[in-house]
Every structure is written in structure tokens, then in C-alpha cells.
Amino acid sequence: MGRAVVAASCLAALSLTAGCSAAVRVQPPAPQGATAAACASLDDRLPRTLDGAERVPSEPPSPYVAVWGSGEIALRCGVPRPAALDPTEQVPEINGVPWYADPARPSLFTALVHGDYVELTISSRHQAAAVLVDLAAPIKTAFPGH
């Protein structure tokens, strides 16, 4: 798999550092307080395999980042509210988790959980709906009260 193909399917913050099994570079967010605790809790609940992709290390290592495949699916927990999100906008829920789909970036989804945000980038190689369904239970468990 070429570096350009991987880079095109990931967040701008992602880059493949070497080979398919190497750590994937992802800029970790810096959540604080209860959000940081919930994100650390989420990290422990995430699946090892997501839509057929195995979880791989991120660089730098962070409890607020999870990556599957060679950067094909990337999760960042505790990110800021999406700038394009209208506070009055109705967003679809999947298994009880509201997901904002960024209209400018069709591979970018953000879970809106109790005033906190979990960002997910999903390459076109994966079924976005399947990934969002598989992540709903861990997100709801890590962010109780949602």
C-alpha cells in the first residue's frame, strides 16, 4: 500500500511512518478533567478489530488516539467541537450515539457525547455505518449520562 494512498484516506494529521504494521502518526488531542478520564476509559473499551482492520499503534502513543489498519480508521477522543457544526443542527443517531458528518470532509464523523467530541476518520475502504455501529457501545459506556 503506497504512502500517498494512505495519506489521502486519513486526516491531515495522519501519516504512515513505515510499512503496513508500523505506528501511524496522529496528532493527539489534549482533553482535560472528566473528558480526559472518559477518553482514557474509552481507549480500554475499543475493539481490537474494526471492520476487518486490526488496531495498530499510533505515534506518539496516546490514550486519546486509536488507529486501525494502516491509518484507514482513526479515532481521536476529546477534540474541540467541530467548527462547522451548527448548535441547533439535528444529527442522526446510530445506536444511541449522535454522529455529525462533516459535509466538507465525507470521511470525517464526530460523535457528540454529553458536550464532548470523539472524532473518527474512516477511509472509503470501510463501511462507515458498520464502524459507527461497532463504536456506539464503547462510546456510550465511556461517556455515561449520554
Side-chain angles (χ1 to χ4, degrees), residues 115-143:
D116 292 312
Y117 306 96
V118 179
E119 181 182 88
L120 188 64
T121 304
I122 307 169
S123 82
S124 61
R125 293 184 179 152
H126 295 278
Q127 297 294 324
V131 173
L132 300 179
V133 165
D134 288 348
L135 291 175
I139 289 172
K140 286 190 321 189
T141 303
F143 290 88

PDB file of all heavy atoms in Angstrom, residues 115-143:
ATOM      1  N   GLY A 115     -21.579  16.899  25.504  1.00  0.00           N
ATOM      2  CA  GLY A 115     -20.714  18.079  25.439  1.00  0.00           C
ATOM      3  C   GLY A 115     -19.266  17.756  25.113  1.00  0.00           C
ATOM      4  O   GLY A 115     -18.429  18.649  25.092  1.00  0.00           O
ATOM      5  N   ASP A 116     -18.962  16.488  24.859  1.00  0.00           N
ATOM      6  CA  ASP A 116     -17.618  16.076  24.462  1.00  0.00           C
ATOM      7  C   ASP A 116     -17.678  15.560  23.037  1.00  0.00           C
ATOM      8  O   ASP A 116     -18.753  15.248  22.519  1.00  0.00           O
ATOM      9  CB  ASP A 116     -17.092  14.975  25.396  1.00  0.00           C
ATOM     10  CG  ASP A 116     -16.838  15.502  26.800  1.00  0.00           C
ATOM     11  OD1 ASP A 116     -16.196  16.560  26.928  1.00  0.00           O
ATOM     12  OD2 ASP A 116     -17.291  14.858  27.759  1.00  0.00           O
ATOM     13  N   TYR A 117     -16.501  15.441  22.409  1.00  0.00           N
ATOM     14  CA  TYR A 117     -16.447  15.101  20.995  1.00  0.00           C
ATOM     15  C   TYR A 117     -15.402  14.026  20.731  1.00  0.00           C
ATOM     16  O   TYR A 117     -14.267  14.123  21.196  1.00  0.00           O
ATOM     17  CB  TYR A 117     -16.145  16.355  20.160  1.00  0.00           C
ATOM     18  CG  TYR A 117     -17.134  17.456  20.454  1.00  0.00           C
ATOM     19  CD1 TYR A 117     -16.841  18.456  21.368  1.00  0.00           C
ATOM     20  CD2 TYR A 117     -18.391  17.434  19.868  1.00  0.00           C
ATOM     21  CE1 TYR A 117     -17.767  19.435  21.677  1.00  0.00           C
ATOM     22  CE2 TYR A 117     -19.329  18.407  20.161  1.00  0.00           C
ATOM     23  CZ  TYR A 117     -19.008  19.404  21.065  1.00  0.00           C
ATOM     24  OH  TYR A 117     -19.948  20.363  21.366  1.00  0.00           O
ATOM     25  N   VAL A 118     -15.815  13.018  19.968  1.00  0.00           N
ATOM     26  CA  VAL A 118     -14.936  11.934  19.550  1.00  0.00           C
ATOM     27  C   VAL A 118     -14.921  11.958  18.026  1.00  0.00           C
ATOM     28  O   VAL A 118     -15.947  11.740  17.390  1.00  0.00           O
ATOM     29  CB  VAL A 118     -15.425  10.563  20.066  1.00  0.00           C
ATOM     30  CG1 VAL A 118     -14.499   9.450  19.588  1.00  0.00           C
ATOM     31  CG2 VAL A 118     -15.542  10.562  21.587  1.00  0.00           C
ATOM     32  N   GLU A 119     -13.764  12.225  17.461  1.00  0.00           N
ATOM     33  CA  GLU A 119     -13.608  12.372  16.015  1.00  0.00           C
ATOM     34  C   GLU A 119     -13.168  11.045  15.403  1.00  0.00           C
ATOM     35  O   GLU A 119     -12.313  10.353  15.940  1.00  0.00           O
ATOM     36  CB  GLU A 119     -12.542  13.440  15.763  1.00  0.00           C
ATOM     37  CG  GLU A 119     -12.259  13.740  14.325  1.00  0.00           C
ATOM     38  CD  GLU A 119     -11.167  14.770  14.223  1.00  0.00           C
ATOM     39  OE1 GLU A 119      -9.978  14.369  14.211  1.00  0.00           O
ATOM     40  OE2 GLU A 119     -11.494  15.969  14.164  1.00  0.00           O
ATOM     41  N   LEU A 120     -13.751  10.728  14.277  1.00  0.00           N
ATOM     42  CA  LEU A 120     -13.456   9.462  13.609  1.00  0.00           C
ATOM     43  C   LEU A 120     -13.293   9.704  12.122  1.00  0.00           C
ATOM     44  O   LEU A 120     -14.157  10.317  11.486  1.00  0.00           O
ATOM     45  CB  LEU A 120     -14.604   8.485  13.857  1.00  0.00           C
ATOM     46  CG  LEU A 120     -14.403   7.062  13.414  1.00  0.00           C
ATOM     47  CD1 LEU A 120     -13.277   6.388  14.191  1.00  0.00           C
ATOM     48  CD2 LEU A 120     -15.683   6.285  13.601  1.00  0.00           C
ATOM     49  N   THR A 121     -12.180   9.237  11.571  1.00  0.00           N
ATOM     50  CA  THR A 121     -11.941   9.299  10.143  1.00  0.00           C
ATOM     51  C   THR A 121     -11.990   7.879   9.613  1.00  0.00           C
ATOM     52  O   THR A 121     -11.342   6.992  10.160  1.00  0.00           O
ATOM     53  CB  THR A 121     -10.568   9.919   9.833  1.00  0.00           C
ATOM     54  OG1 THR A 121     -10.497  11.199  10.432  1.00  0.00           O
ATOM     55  CG2 THR A 121     -10.353  10.056   8.343  1.00  0.00           C
ATOM     56  N   ILE A 122     -12.778   7.673   8.568  1.00  0.00           N
ATOM     57  CA  ILE A 122     -12.970   6.339   8.009  1.00  0.00           C
ATOM     58  C   ILE A 122     -12.697   6.412   6.512  1.00  0.00           C
ATOM     59  O   ILE A 122     -13.382   7.150   5.791  1.00  0.00           O
ATOM     60  CB  ILE A 122     -14.411   5.841   8.244  1.00  0.00           C
ATOM     61  CG1 ILE A 122     -14.782   5.929   9.726  1.00  0.00           C
ATOM     62  CG2 ILE A 122     -14.580   4.420   7.710  1.00  0.00           C
ATOM     63  CD1 ILE A 122     -16.263   5.706  10.007  1.00  0.00           C
ATOM     64  N   SER A 123     -11.716   5.643   6.040  1.00  0.00           N
ATOM     65  CA  SER A 123     -11.425   5.652   4.603  1.00  0.00           C
ATOM     66  C   SER A 123     -12.548   4.972   3.838  1.00  0.00           C
ATOM     67  O   SER A 123     -13.353   4.224   4.399  1.00  0.00           O
ATOM     68  CB  SER A 123     -10.093   4.952   4.321  1.00  0.00           C
ATOM     69  OG  SER A 123     -10.265   3.551   4.276  1.00  0.00           O
ATOM     70  N   SER A 124     -12.578   5.203   2.544  1.00  0.00           N
ATOM     71  CA  SER A 124     -13.611   4.620   1.690  1.00  0.00           C
ATOM     72  C   SER A 124     -13.479   3.108   1.577  1.00  0.00           C
ATOM     73  O   SER A 124     -14.378   2.450   1.056  1.00  0.00           O
ATOM     74  CB  SER A 124     -13.568   5.264   0.307  1.00  0.00           C
ATOM     75  OG  SER A 124     -12.315   5.026  -0.304  1.00  0.00           O
ATOM     76  N   ARG A 125     -12.414   2.544   2.080  1.00  0.00           N
ATOM     77  CA  ARG A 125     -12.238   1.087   2.069  1.00  0.00           C
ATOM     78  C   ARG A 125     -13.112   0.399   3.105  1.00  0.00           C
ATOM     79  O   ARG A 125     -13.207  -0.820   3.122  1.00  0.00           O
ATOM     80  CB  ARG A 125     -10.794   0.728   2.357  1.00  0.00           C
ATOM     81  CG  ARG A 125      -9.870   1.149   1.275  1.00  0.00           C
ATOM     82  CD  ARG A 125      -8.480   0.681   1.568  1.00  0.00           C
ATOM     83  NE  ARG A 125      -7.624   1.107   0.478  1.00  0.00           N
ATOM     84  CZ  ARG A 125      -6.362   1.350   0.606  1.00  0.00           C
ATOM     85  NH1 ARG A 125      -5.784   1.197   1.756  1.00  0.00           N
ATOM     86  NH2 ARG A 125      -5.669   1.730  -0.429  1.00  0.00           N
ATOM     87  N   HIS A 126     -13.708   1.174   3.967  1.00  0.00           N
ATOM     88  CA  HIS A 126     -14.508   0.613   5.063  1.00  0.00           C
ATOM     89  C   HIS A 126     -15.945   1.112   4.990  1.00  0.00           C
ATOM     90  O   HIS A 126     -16.209   2.195   4.472  1.00  0.00           O
ATOM     91  CB  HIS A 126     -13.874   0.960   6.406  1.00  0.00           C
ATOM     92  CG  HIS A 126     -12.542   0.311   6.574  1.00  0.00           C
ATOM     93  ND1 HIS A 126     -12.390  -0.983   6.983  1.00  0.00           N
ATOM     94  CD2 HIS A 126     -11.293   0.774   6.348  1.00  0.00           C
ATOM     95  CE1 HIS A 126     -11.114  -1.298   7.009  1.00  0.00           C
ATOM     96  NE2 HIS A 126     -10.415  -0.249   6.626  1.00  0.00           N
ATOM     97  N   GLN A 127     -16.837   0.338   5.565  1.00  0.00           N
ATOM     98  CA  GLN A 127     -18.248   0.695   5.646  1.00  0.00           C
ATOM     99  C   GLN A 127     -18.428   1.614   6.857  1.00  0.00           C
ATOM    100  O   GLN A 127     -18.366   1.149   7.999  1.00  0.00           O
ATOM    101  CB  GLN A 127     -19.101  -0.559   5.812  1.00  0.00           C
ATOM    102  CG  GLN A 127     -19.022  -1.500   4.636  1.00  0.00           C
ATOM    103  CD  GLN A 127     -19.634  -0.885   3.395  1.00  0.00           C
ATOM    104  OE1 GLN A 127     -20.617  -0.153   3.456  1.00  0.00           O
ATOM    105  NE2 GLN A 127     -19.045  -1.174   2.246  1.00  0.00           N
ATOM    106  N   ALA A 128     -18.643   2.887   6.606  1.00  0.00           N
ATOM    107  CA  ALA A 128     -18.763   3.852   7.704  1.00  0.00           C
ATOM    108  C   ALA A 128     -19.854   3.443   8.681  1.00  0.00           C
ATOM    109  O   ALA A 128     -19.646   3.495   9.899  1.00  0.00           O
ATOM    110  CB  ALA A 128     -19.027   5.248   7.156  1.00  0.00           C
ATOM    111  N   ALA A 129     -21.006   3.026   8.184  1.00  0.00           N
ATOM    112  CA  ALA A 129     -22.111   2.655   9.076  1.00  0.00           C
ATOM    113  C   ALA A 129     -21.720   1.514   9.999  1.00  0.00           C
ATOM    114  O   ALA A 129     -22.027   1.538  11.198  1.00  0.00           O
ATOM    115  CB  ALA A 129     -23.347   2.284   8.265  1.00  0.00           C
ATOM    116  N   ALA A 130     -21.011   0.514   9.488  1.00  0.00           N
ATOM    117  CA  ALA A 130     -20.588  -0.617  10.317  1.00  0.00           C
ATOM    118  C   ALA A 130     -19.624  -0.154  11.409  1.00  0.00           C
ATOM    119  O   ALA A 130     -19.716  -0.595  12.570  1.00  0.00           O
ATOM    120  CB  ALA A 130     -19.935  -1.689   9.454  1.00  0.00           C
ATOM    121  N   VAL A 131     -18.708   0.725  11.068  1.00  0.00           N
ATOM    122  CA  VAL A 131     -17.748   1.237  12.051  1.00  0.00           C
ATOM    123  C   VAL A 131     -18.468   2.040  13.132  1.00  0.00           C
ATOM    124  O   VAL A 131     -18.214   1.859  14.326  1.00  0.00           O
ATOM    125  CB  VAL A 131     -16.662   2.085  11.350  1.00  0.00           C
ATOM    126  CG1 VAL A 131     -15.758   2.770  12.368  1.00  0.00           C
ATOM    127  CG2 VAL A 131     -15.843   1.214  10.391  1.00  0.00           C
ATOM    128  N   LEU A 132     -19.397   2.908  12.739  1.00  0.00           N
ATOM    129  CA  LEU A 132     -20.132   3.721  13.707  1.00  0.00           C
ATOM    130  C   LEU A 132     -20.975   2.847  14.631  1.00  0.00           C
ATOM    131  O   LEU A 132     -21.050   3.100  15.843  1.00  0.00           O
ATOM    132  CB  LEU A 132     -20.990   4.754  12.985  1.00  0.00           C
ATOM    133  CG  LEU A 132     -20.229   5.749  12.093  1.00  0.00           C
ATOM    134  CD1 LEU A 132     -21.201   6.694  11.412  1.00  0.00           C
ATOM    135  CD2 LEU A 132     -19.158   6.494  12.845  1.00  0.00           C
ATOM    136  N   VAL A 133     -21.582   1.800  14.097  1.00  0.00           N
ATOM    137  CA  VAL A 133     -22.356   0.866  14.924  1.00  0.00           C
ATOM    138  C   VAL A 133     -21.442   0.183  15.934  1.00  0.00           C
ATOM    139  O   VAL A 133     -21.765   0.082  17.120  1.00  0.00           O
ATOM    140  CB  VAL A 133     -23.088  -0.177  14.039  1.00  0.00           C
ATOM    141  CG1 VAL A 133     -23.588  -1.352  14.860  1.00  0.00           C
ATOM    142  CG2 VAL A 133     -24.243   0.477  13.305  1.00  0.00           C
ATOM    143  N   ASP A 134     -20.281  -0.298  15.477  1.00  0.00           N
ATOM    144  CA  ASP A 134     -19.360  -1.015  16.365  1.00  0.00           C
ATOM    145  C   ASP A 134     -18.776  -0.131  17.465  1.00  0.00           C
ATOM    146  O   ASP A 134     -18.382  -0.631  18.516  1.00  0.00           O
ATOM    147  CB  ASP A 134     -18.223  -1.647  15.566  1.00  0.00           C
ATOM    148  CG  ASP A 134     -18.671  -2.841  14.749  1.00  0.00           C
ATOM    149  OD1 ASP A 134     -19.807  -3.332  14.953  1.00  0.00           O
ATOM    150  OD2 ASP A 134     -17.893  -3.290  13.884  1.00  0.00           O
ATOM    151  N   LEU A 135     -18.714   1.165  17.235  1.00  0.00           N
ATOM    152  CA  LEU A 135     -18.144   2.070  18.243  1.00  0.00           C
ATOM    153  C   LEU A 135     -19.198   2.658  19.183  1.00  0.00           C
ATOM    154  O   LEU A 135     -18.851   3.259  20.203  1.00  0.00           O
ATOM    155  CB  LEU A 135     -17.369   3.189  17.563  1.00  0.00           C
ATOM    156  CG  LEU A 135     -16.080   2.727  16.875  1.00  0.00           C
ATOM    157  CD1 LEU A 135     -15.441   3.883  16.131  1.00  0.00           C
ATOM    158  CD2 LEU A 135     -15.113   2.125  17.885  1.00  0.00           C
ATOM    159  N   ALA A 136     -20.470   2.485  18.878  1.00  0.00           N
ATOM    160  CA  ALA A 136     -21.526   3.084  19.702  1.00  0.00           C
ATOM    161  C   ALA A 136     -21.485   2.597  21.146  1.00  0.00           C
ATOM    162  O   ALA A 136     -21.514   3.414  22.073  1.00  0.00           O
ATOM    163  CB  ALA A 136     -22.893   2.826  19.081  1.00  0.00           C
ATOM    164  N   ALA A 137     -21.434   1.303  21.362  1.00  0.00           N
ATOM    165  CA  ALA A 137     -21.457   0.780  22.740  1.00  0.00           C
ATOM    166  C   ALA A 137     -20.249   1.242  23.553  1.00  0.00           C
ATOM    167  O   ALA A 137     -20.416   1.715  24.687  1.00  0.00           O
ATOM    168  CB  ALA A 137     -21.573  -0.742  22.733  1.00  0.00           C
ATOM    169  N   PRO A 138     -19.015   1.155  23.031  1.00  0.00           N
ATOM    170  CA  PRO A 138     -17.884   1.652  23.827  1.00  0.00           C
ATOM    171  C   PRO A 138     -17.986   3.142  24.150  1.00  0.00           C
ATOM    172  O   PRO A 138     -17.654   3.569  25.258  1.00  0.00           O
ATOM    173  CB  PRO A 138     -16.658   1.367  22.957  1.00  0.00           C
ATOM    174  CG  PRO A 138     -17.075   0.352  21.964  1.00  0.00           C
ATOM    175  CD  PRO A 138     -18.556   0.498  21.801  1.00  0.00           C
ATOM    176  N   ILE A 139     -18.467   3.930  23.200  1.00  0.00           N
ATOM    177  CA  ILE A 139     -18.588   5.374  23.435  1.00  0.00           C
ATOM    178  C   ILE A 139     -19.640   5.639  24.509  1.00  0.00           C
ATOM    179  O   ILE A 139     -19.413   6.419  25.432  1.00  0.00           O
ATOM    180  CB  ILE A 139     -18.886   6.124  22.125  1.00  0.00           C
ATOM    181  CG1 ILE A 139     -17.640   6.126  21.237  1.00  0.00           C
ATOM    182  CG2 ILE A 139     -19.361   7.550  22.403  1.00  0.00           C
ATOM    183  CD1 ILE A 139     -17.865   6.663  19.834  1.00  0.00           C
ATOM    184  N   LYS A 140     -20.799   4.988  24.404  1.00  0.00           N
ATOM    185  CA  LYS A 140     -21.859   5.202  25.404  1.00  0.00           C
ATOM    186  C   LYS A 140     -21.397   4.775  26.805  1.00  0.00           C
ATOM    187  O   LYS A 140     -21.716   5.447  27.783  1.00  0.00           O
ATOM    188  CB  LYS A 140     -23.124   4.434  25.018  1.00  0.00           C
ATOM    189  CG  LYS A 140     -23.863   5.085  23.865  1.00  0.00           C
ATOM    190  CD  LYS A 140     -25.226   4.543  23.580  1.00  0.00           C
ATOM    191  CE  LYS A 140     -25.373   3.057  23.706  1.00  0.00           C
ATOM    192  NZ  LYS A 140     -26.672   2.543  23.213  1.00  0.00           N
ATOM    193  N   THR A 141     -20.626   3.708  26.889  1.00  0.00           N
ATOM    194  CA  THR A 141     -20.130   3.227  28.181  1.00  0.00           C
ATOM    195  C   THR A 141     -19.090   4.189  28.766  1.00  0.00           C
ATOM    196  O   THR A 141     -19.093   4.448  29.972  1.00  0.00           O
ATOM    197  CB  THR A 141     -19.546   1.813  28.039  1.00  0.00           C
ATOM    198  OG1 THR A 141     -20.551   0.957  27.504  1.00  0.00           O
ATOM    199  CG2 THR A 141     -19.086   1.275  29.372  1.00  0.00           C
ATOM    200  N   ALA A 142     -18.217   4.705  27.929  1.00  0.00           N
ATOM    201  CA  ALA A 142     -17.164   5.605  28.406  1.00  0.00           C
ATOM    202  C   ALA A 142     -17.683   6.989  28.782  1.00  0.00           C
ATOM    203  O   ALA A 142     -17.098   7.668  29.627  1.00  0.00           O
ATOM    204  CB  ALA A 142     -16.070   5.739  27.344  1.00  0.00           C
ATOM    205  N   PHE A 143     -18.785   7.388  28.170  1.00  0.00           N
ATOM    206  CA  PHE A 143     -19.388   8.703  28.439  1.00  0.00           C
ATOM    207  C   PHE A 143     -20.783   8.493  29.006  1.00  0.00           C
ATOM    208  O   PHE A 143     -21.784   8.757  28.341  1.00  0.00           O
ATOM    209  CB  PHE A 143     -19.453   9.527  27.148  1.00  0.00           C
ATOM    210  CG  PHE A 143     -18.118   9.995  26.652  1.00  0.00           C
ATOM    211  CD1 PHE A 143     -17.367   9.179  25.792  1.00  0.00           C
ATOM    212  CD2 PHE A 143     -17.599  11.208  27.019  1.00  0.00           C
ATOM    213  CE1 PHE A 143     -16.132   9.600  25.320  1.00  0.00           C
ATOM    214  CE2 PHE A 143     -16.366  11.643  26.561  1.00  0.00           C
ATOM    215  CZ  PHE A 143     -15.627  10.821  25.710  1.00  0.00           C
TER     216      PHE A 143
END
